[in-house]
Amino acid sequence: MPPIPGSGLAKGLAVTLRTMTRKSVTEQYPDAQPELPPRTRGVIGLFEENCTVCMLCARECPDWCIYIDSHKETVPPAVEGGRERSRNVLDRFAIDFSLCMYCGICIEVCPFDALFWSPEFEYAETDIHELTHERDKLREWMWTVPAPPALDPAAEDPKELVTARKAAEKLAAAEAAATATAAVEAKGDES
């Protein structure tokens, strides 16, 4: 059966009338902060201690809006007779939010969990050149990142925690054995 001429127009007018008769709800934004979902993509926060200057975030960014500068530093050997190592030291980490398209690729590819989504959204500037935020501002936003959701209580502990716990127990046992040996030797010297 062919559609009745003008039925689409009638449906559109019905939607318009329904919308016009509803009471509108106005968010009083500056006075009342909006309730944001937990996974809101506001800005990107930097946890500087985890950054190893691997440059993956800058290389994978489709907009090339991440600027990283670093230098190499020589680290003395950890043990006697070892060799010196070199490591990258972060000098500059900046994100140009006027170019950023908030895709999150930089956060996903970071192998050391140095970048996180922050729900912060009030960072407007009057000049577009001021939307390039340096690492000190990115670090401030890091403290607004919500805590991750709780793990399943029946889940296994992560391998990293298990390994760290075993290493700590081994170190504590070695220290206890050294203390006990020192106490026995001190008692033997007194006799």
Side-chain angles (χ1 to χ4, degrees):
M1 179 169 147
I4 301 172
S7 64
L9 178 65
K11 287 180 185 176
L13 287 173
V15 170
T16 303
L17 276 171
R18 258 183 291 163
T19 305
M20 284 176 49
T21 57
R22 280 193 203 136
K23 185 176 184 203
S24 61
V25 178
T26 304
E27 295 281 335
Q28 302 297 327
Y29 163 62
D31 301 327
Q33 292 294 320
E35 288 293 322
L36 299 173
R39 294 178 51 112
T40 299
R41 291 184 174 192
V43 292
I44 297 168
L46 171 69
F47 190 55
E48 203 172 322
E49 287 78 14
N50 286 359
C51 183
T52 61
V53 196
C54 66
M55 307 288 241
L56 274 175
C57 54
R59 281 196 309 255
E60 296 295 324
C61 179
D63 291 334
W64 292 83
C65 65
I66 299 176
Y67 309 110
I68 301 174
D69 292 330
S70 68
H71 70 274
K72 290 214 180 270
E73 199 172 79
T74 304
V75 179
V79 294
E80 187 66 32
R83 67 181 178 98
E84 292 183 338
R85 308 253 180 203
S86 66
R87 69 181 182 110
N88 290 325
V89 177
L90 186 65
D91 292 330
R92 179 180 186 224
F93 192 104
I95 299 177
D96 187 351
F97 285 102
S98 66
L99 295 176
C100 183
M101 64 181 185
Y102 303 92
C103 64
I105 292 174
C106 57
I107 295 170
E108 291 173 16
V109 300
C110 181
F112 301 103
D113 288 335
L115 298 173
F116 295 90
W117 281 117
S118 167
E120 191 69 34
F121 64 94
E122 298 175 313
Y123 58 95
E125 300 289 344
T126 54
D127 185 13
I128 196 167
H129 299 294
E130 294 175 8
L131 281 173
T132 301
H133 295 291
E134 299 292 331
R135 68 181 182 180
D136 55 340
K137 186 67 174 175
L138 299 175
R139 185 169 183 74
E140 283 178 33
W141 285 329
M142 184 60 210
W143 307 122
T144 63
V145 172
L151 297 174
D152 183 8
E156 295 177 10
D157 286 336
K159 294 176 189 173
E160 296 87 358
L161 284 180
V162 172
T163 305
R165 200 174 292 129
K166 285 181 182 176
E169 289 170 359
K170 195 181 227 183
L171 182 65
E175 287 175 357
T179 305
T181 304
V184 167
E185 287 176 1
K187 211 176 220 188
D189 289 342
E190 291 175 5
S191 307

